[in-house]
Amino acid sequence: MRGLYFDDLTVGQTAEMSRVVGAADIEAFAEVSGDLNPVHLDDAYAKTTTFGERIAHGMLSGAYISAVLGTRLPGPGAIYLSQSLRFRRPVRIGDLVVAKVTVKALDEGRGHVTLDTACAVSGKTVVDGEALVIAPRRPA
């Protein structure tokens, strides 16, 4: 797998990936993260919440954004520096999440790339924010 070099990038360039969130994904994320909040794991508890059913961890959508940055744009070799996230809507079991990143700005001197980041379900934003990464430079 080869990523893009800084000089391959242009403002407005995009990449995305899609994943259907399954119960097993939520359970695996809970196990690896240690976030055992019952709204994610306990059907009976989740029914008593405003959501009425289990929902995915917000950071699972954040992980999908990370996957796009690390595998597609810029891809392998990119170094994540920061990420802001706003959680707009819940993600439910069975939802198709589309994670998309868009190059917003390029800092040639530092090799920094600022990207708009978002996840959507059925065309509605569930998470949005901004990422800052270092893109690899082309070898001399």
Side-chain angles (χ1 to χ4, degrees):
M1 185 182 300
R2 184 180 88 69
L4 298 172
Y5 294 113
F6 183 87
D7 59 348
D8 295 327
L9 302 174
T10 58
V11 172
Q13 192 171 1
T14 65
E16 65 181 48
M17 64 169 271
S18 301
R19 295 287 298 249
V20 174
V21 176
D25 299 315
I26 294 170
E27 291 154 12
F29 192 86
E31 181 66 28
V32 75
S33 69
D35 182 350
L36 305 176
N37 184 331
V39 74
H40 307 304
L41 302 170
D42 183 322
D43 287 320
Y45 176 84
K47 285 180 183 172
T48 69
T49 70
T50 186
F51 306 112
E53 63 186 308
R54 288 172 56 192
I55 60 169
H57 301 76
M59 291 307 292
L60 180 58
S61 293
Y64 295 153
I65 291 167
S66 177
V68 178
L69 294 171
T71 64
R72 301 196 179 159
L73 182 63
I79 304 299
Y80 224 147
L81 296 177
S82 67
Q83 174 76 59
S84 66
L85 295 171
R86 288 177 295 229
F87 302 100
R88 305 290 190 164
R89 292 180 176 82
V91 173
R92 294 177 165 77
I93 294 170
D95 281 349
L96 175 67
V97 177
V98 179
K100 181 177 181 179
V101 304
T102 304
V103 176
K104 180 177 179 178
L106 298 164
D107 180 342
E108 173 72 34
R110 299 179 80 185
H112 288 185
V113 184
T114 304
L115 303 105
D116 287 323
T117 60
C119 290
V121 171
S122 300
K124 294 182 179 179
T125 301
V126 294
V127 176
D128 64 10
E130 184 177 277
L132 181 65
V133 303
I134 298 174
R137 299 281 188 171
R138 190 175 306 280

